[in-house]
Amino acid sequence: MEAECLSFSQIPHTSRLFLDYLEQFERVAKFYLLSPREVERLSELKSLLAYPGDRRAAVANILERQNRGFGAHPEVLKNTQRLREGAGAIVSGQQVALFGGPAYSLYKALTAIKVAKDLERRGTPAVPIFWLATQDHDFAEVSNVSLRSAGKLQTFGIQNTGSEGAPVGSVILDARAAAVAQEAAKFLGSTPIAQEVARCYAAGETLGSAFAKLFSAIFGHLGLILFDPLDQEAARLTAPVYEKVLELTPEVNRDLLARDRDLENVGYHSQVKITNSHTLVFAMADGVRTPIRRANGDFAIGQRKLKLAELQQEITRHPERFSGNALLRPVVQDFLLPTLAYIGGPAEVAYFAQAAVVYEKVLGRLTPILPRLSATLLDARDQRLLKRYKILLQDVLRAGRGLREFLASRSLPPELDNKFHQVSEGMNTSLETLAESLRKLDPTLAESSRHAFSKMHYQLERLRGRAARAQVKRDYELAQQAEALAQSLYPGQELQERKIGGVSFIAQFGPDLIERLYDAVQPACIGHQSLLF
């Protein structure tokens, strides 16, 4: 497998904050504990963790119980024992999207596994843990996935069998959802991963348990521990975090608003908007995950008003009814686990710039965040088409919706292409001569000439574009190939990893894809990888 590492500056729509985090870390160092280029320093940070032995034992028991229920591989059980004996954790996580979700979910898990293994080789015991975001309540975001097979992209989706706004991990799969899983398995072809999709997404499973069983089947042999926070015992352990953050709400909001100003003052933007009426905590009310608000010095869950002491008592009695928002969730996670680093994508890196102030207030420390593997997989057809038109992956991304015209401009009839080239070269030579004469006549004409010449070049390129569009209309095969490239490498104007389900690639390239991608996780490349299969 060949690989090329692309800077994220070549990837459309990359946020400035994420790009600076990767390539100009000194600009954002005040918001993060560790540069993505300093992975080797993780071993130094273990001494900073304050992780009580009783919590370690309790969490190890939870993880062992849960993972046995998911069908744990012996390597997973070995890692839960290593955690029990003092290992740190490299953590990643994702919403429990249908059939494992987009490919980047696989890449998160693989990066956590690779970083943990690298730490182990350096003498720092570490295990990979994948946090299943079962408490999230955006069902629309997790209920569908686009799968690819034989060059075709098809979207599969299921209906909600629970209450709107309930935690997605608790949604029970009915017979209709199981039938959708069977359809997806048939679409993926006679492959082992297709069989796993049908087996895991059976009627009676929840979205959380189905996702966990699928990931257990994919990553179990690599020792990936799965964790589901929708767990009574886990909720009991994390109750003190919710009690503390609600007590500190005025201070936390003040610090978050100050952090928002800090980000905006240097040209970035916050991911989660905060006001003084916000808290970072949700509560279950009538089966719906409902934000807790501040109200005249007290708190409110929907229309119900509570004093702080009353709310804290409810958390103590029913901790399973409470959960954190996007800024508090990683703090809860790293209270519960001995986390040495979190593996995240671009949006999560941005979240951590805000969440840092919550970490400091609640835990008294920060957790480093490191970038996950980011990759586009190019199969033989993709490579053949790129070679035919003499273009690269970044050309496809840059062309976007204009890919057909771009390919047409690369395949104009040779005679016409040569004439455009000759005219352009001749015009450059003539304009340079004219510009020199104008400068001698009157130096002030230099700027006017540059502006005029720019317009001439623009009009020539515009004419070339019109010729390309005429070529598209005449060339059906080119249009089909442009569509094939766009659907494979930049579907819906999004990176392949964000749009196409990861199980599609396992079906296409075989079960050993996981090991091949594992090898592609290179700390030296903190950009986007173009992987040739």
Side-chain angles (χ1 to χ4, degrees):
M1 181 177 65
E2 297 180 37
E4 180 185 3
C5 186
L6 309 177
S7 166
F8 264 93
S9 62
Q10 297 177 279
I11 306 300
H13 315 304
T14 300
S15 73
R16 182 185 159 200
L17 176 58
F18 183 61
L19 191 58
D20 284 350
Y21 159 81
L22 293 177
E23 301 184 358
Q24 302 286 337
F25 187 74
E26 66 278 3
R27 296 179 180 176
V28 299
K30 65 182 291 186
F31 306 126
Y32 300 98
L33 181 61
L34 199 69
S35 161
R37 299 183 186 276
E38 298 178 304
V39 181
E40 68 282 352
R41 287 192 54 213
L42 286 178
S43 56
E44 303 171 14
L45 303 177
K46 191 178 182 199
S47 61
L48 301 178
L49 286 177
Y51 192 65
D54 57 345
R55 192 185 308 159
R56 182 181 290 277
V59 168
N61 288 339
I62 293 168
L63 293 174
E64 182 176 346
R65 167 172 52 79
Q66 288 189 351
N67 282 269
R68 285 187 184 279
F70 301 147
H73 189 281
E75 289 300 317
V76 175
L77 299 179
K78 286 181 185 177
N79 274 346
T80 58
Q81 183 60 29
R82 292 177 61 238
L83 184 80
R84 188 186 302 277
E85 294 170 354
I90 301 299
V91 183
S92 192
Q94 187 57 38
Q95 293 165 304
V96 288
L98 188 65
F99 307 148
Y104 68 75
S105 296
L106 303 183
Y107 304 162
K108 283 183 166 185
L110 283 166
T111 308
I113 294 166
K114 186 68 169 280
V115 173
K117 293 279 189 186
D118 287 349
L119 277 175
E120 190 73 26
R121 281 195 291 271
R122 294 191 182 100
T124 300
V127 298
I129 298 179
F130 196 89
W131 180 283
L132 305 167
T134 48
Q135 294 173 314
D136 286 359
H137 58 276
D138 190 346
F139 180 79
E141 194 168 353
V142 301
S143 62
N144 61 85
V145 66
S146 295
L147 302 181
R148 192 180 75 178
S149 180
K152 296 180 180 179
L153 203 60
Q154 184 172 329
T155 299
F156 295 85
I158 61 173
Q159 300 298 311
N160 194 350
T161 60
S163 302
E164 192 67 33
V168 296
S170 65
V171 173
I172 298 173
L173 303 179
D174 59 10
R176 291 175 299 173
V180 172
Q182 294 290 341
E183 291 174 17
K186 183 177 180 181
F187 179 74
L188 292 172
S190 300
T191 60
I193 192 64
Q195 295 172 11
E196 291 294 345
V197 166
R199 179 184 70 85
C200 296
Y201 285 81
E205 297 288 350
T206 65
L207 262 179
S209 66
F211 186 105
K213 289 181 178 181
L214 181 63
F215 262 46
S216 181
I218 295 172
F219 295 108
H221 67 292
L222 294 175
L224 181 68
I225 301 171
L226 303 169
F227 177 72
D228 182 357
L230 281 179
D231 184 283
Q232 181 75 31
E233 182 59 21
R236 185 188 66 78
L237 291 175
T238 54
V241 176
Y242 301 123
E243 293 177 13
K244 183 174 183 178
V245 79
L246 286 168
E247 182 178 347
L248 297 176
T249 289
E251 298 174 44
V252 170
N253 283 358
R254 179 199 64 205
D255 292 351
L256 281 170
L257 290 169
R259 174 53 55 89
D260 283 359
R261 290 192 294 271
D262 289 343
L263 288 167
E264 290 169 2
N265 287 341
V266 288
Y268 307 128
H269 68 275
S270 57
Q271 296 292 302
V272 180
K273 294 300 180 184
I274 296 295
T275 70
N276 285 321
S277 65
H278 280 81
T279 76
L280 306 183
V281 185
F282 286 87
M284 293 298 294
D286 298 322
V288 175
R289 192 167 178 248
T290 305
I292 300 175
R293 296 178 292 105
R294 292 180 72 197
N296 299 320
D298 295 325
F299 296 88
I301 303 174
Q303 298 302 313
R304 191 161 64 99
K305 305 294 191 298
L306 300 96
K307 299 288 186 184
L308 174 62
E310 295 174 315
L311 190 51
Q312 290 176 326
Q313 287 175 1
E314 285 204 16
I315 294 172
T316 300
R317 289 196 301 266
H318 300 287
E320 73 282 359
R321 297 178 182 175
F322 296 85
S323 58
N325 76 348
L327 297 180
L328 184 58
R329 185 206 56 75
V331 177
V332 172
Q333 162 198 289
D334 297 338
F335 170 83
L336 201 58
L337 302 172
T339 307
L340 297 175
Y342 183 81
I343 307 300
E348 288 165 305
V349 168
Y351 278 122
F352 264 60
Q354 282 183 280
V357 299
V358 188
Y359 270 98
E360 291 169 343
K361 187 66 67 177
V362 178
L363 299 185
R365 63 176 176 84
L366 297 182
T367 290
I369 184 167
L370 298 173
R372 62 165 170 79
L373 168 68
S374 180
T376 295
L377 280 52
L378 285 75
D379 61 20
R381 184 186 66 167
D382 298 328
Q383 296 172 54
R384 184 172 65 252
L385 292 176
L386 293 180
K387 184 176 181 180
R388 172 174 178 175
Y389 292 103
K390 299 178 182 179
I391 60 174
L392 303 171
L393 168 63
Q394 49 267 46
D395 295 318
V396 176
L397 303 182
R398 189 165 49 244
R401 298 185 187 280
L403 182 60
R404 287 200 308 171
E405 288 76 13
F406 179 72
L407 294 188
S409 72
R410 309 282 292 191
S411 60
L412 288 173
E415 181 181 353
L416 181 57
D417 191 47
N418 286 337
K419 287 190 180 300
F420 270 112
H421 181 73
Q422 291 169 9
V423 169
S424 180
E425 289 294 314
M427 189 169 71
N428 285 338
T429 301
S430 299
L431 292 178
E432 286 174 8
T433 303
L434 177 58
E436 182 60 29
S437 298
L438 288 171
R439 276 192 293 272
K440 291 178 180 179
L441 175 64
D442 184 348
T444 64
L445 294 175
E447 181 60 33
S448 297
S449 65
R450 278 195 296 270
H451 183 64
F453 298 165
S454 175
K455 285 186 174 182
M456 294 178 194
H457 282 292
Y458 169 76
Q459 291 298 336
L460 183 63
E461 285 304 309
R462 187 180 178 192
L463 183 59
R464 185 186 179 92
R466 291 178 65 184
R469 287 190 289 276
Q471 179 74 6
V472 168
K473 291 179 181 178
R474 295 180 58 184
D475 196 334
Y476 175 77
E477 182 185 17
L478 182 145
Q480 292 292 99
Q481 292 171 344
E483 177 62 23
L485 270 180
Q487 192 177 78
S488 178
L489 306 183
Y490 202 34
Q493 308 302 295
E494 292 191 70
L495 286 177
Q496 179 196 82
E497 63 183 22
R498 301 195 62 83
K499 189 71 174 179
I500 301 178
V503 292
S504 300
F505 299 110
I506 301 176
Q508 180 178 4
F509 297 116
D512 69 336
L513 171 70
I514 297 301
E515 279 67 31
R516 297 167 75 183
L517 287 174
Y518 176 86
D519 292 337
V521 180
Q522 301 296 336
C525 173
I526 57 174
H528 182 83
Q529 293 198 61
S530 171
L531 302 177
L532 309 184
F533 282 83

